[in-house]
Amino acid sequence: MRRLADQILEHSQRLPEGALLMAVRLLHFGERGAVNKALAHLARRGDLLRVWRGLYVRPIPTVFGPRNPTMESVVASLAELWGESIATHGAVSANRLGLTTQVPVRAVYLTSGPGRVLWLGGSSLTLYHAPLWQFVEAGRLTGEVIRALAWLGPSEAARLLPRLSARLSPADREVLIEVAPLLPTWLAEQISRSLA
């Protein structure tokens, strides 16, 4: 088993940061049971981090010792594996846009799939199920604006949207107006009123 574990570890070192390792993708190294045992052995040894049942990632070596892969890289890998949309939580978006000084302590994301709590080393990664409109323009500044405003709620969104509008490019304002019909009525009305 030691030879199998070393082969899997060597393979993991060629993968990009945040890439997921799972037995079903490593069957070219050996039998399913042996691969599962090797993955568990590598996790106990600290060479891999267990993220979820049967899912592992490799810590990133640095001159100061190993560090966890970035949450963003792991989330991107999970979204691809599970075929879900995953986006930043509205609190994170609001902070990134300078609409709040609150810095989220935990890593929280929105998912189109079921909610889950995963672990990355000693850090939790919480995925909350969200309606599909929360993923409109995911991965773009305009999506961050939508999720931030939704998290802030109607009264705060109405107060901060004019200030935010001044920082958006004309193209971004146009995109927000185009996608407004996909959003809840209160948010669509505020966007249309403030950006049109």
Side-chain angles (χ1 to χ4, degrees), residues 10-27:
E10 186 179 307
H11 170 74
S12 75
Q13 292 166 345
R14 293 189 299 267
L15 297 175
E17 182 173 342
L20 297 169
L21 291 155
M22 63 193 83
V24 74
R25 290 186 181 170
L26 300 170
L27 295 179

Side-chain angles (χ1 to χ4, degrees), residues 2 11 22-25 49 51 54 63 71 85-86 88 128 131 139 142 146 151 163 177 179 188:
R2 187 166 304 281
H11 170 74
M22 63 193 83
V24 74
R25 290 186 181 170
L49 301 170
V51 178
V63 294
M71 288 288 183
S85 295
I86 300 179
T88 56
Y128 286 118
T142 47
I146 290 167
W151 178 77
R163 184 176 96 192
I177 291 168
V179 301

Side-chain angles (χ1 to χ4, degrees), residues 95-184:
N95 180 264
R96 285 183 185 169
L97 294 168
L99 301 177
T100 180
T101 56
Q102 295 177 359
V103 179
V105 177
R106 297 180 304 131
V108 180
Y109 288 82
L110 303 176
T111 180
S112 59
R116 307 172 186 91
V117 177
L118 296 85
W119 290 92
L120 189 55
S123 305
S124 70
L125 169 61
T126 305
L127 299 173
Y128 286 118
H129 175 75
L132 290 179
W133 65 265
Q134 289 269 11
F135 303 98
V136 171
E137 293 290 300
R140 301 181 64 195
L141 173 65
T142 47
E144 294 264 345
V145 169
I146 290 167
R147 286 187 303 283
L149 294 173
W151 178 77
L152 288 166
S155 59
E156 281 297 295
R159 186 177 69 79
L160 294 172
L161 193 53
R163 184 176 96 192
L164 185 57
S165 173
R167 295 179 20 212
L168 294 172
S169 71
D172 287 337
R173 286 196 293 273
E174 190 174 311
V175 166
L176 285 169
I177 291 168
E178 285 177 18
V179 301
L182 303 173
L183 307 176

Side-chain angles (χ1 to χ4, degrees), residues 4 22-27 30-39 54:
L4 176 59
M22 63 193 83
V24 74
R25 290 186 181 170
L26 300 170
L27 295 179
E31 299 280 328
R32 174 76 182 254
V35 171
N36 279 333
K37 285 182 183 177
L39 288 168

Side-chain angles (χ1 to χ4, degrees), residues 45-63:
R45 214 167 68 180
D47 292 324
L48 293 180
L49 301 170
R50 184 175 179 268
V51 178
W52 184 250
R53 279 178 248 126
L55 297 179
Y56 301 84
V57 293
R58 176 183 52 88
I60 307 303
T62 70
V63 294

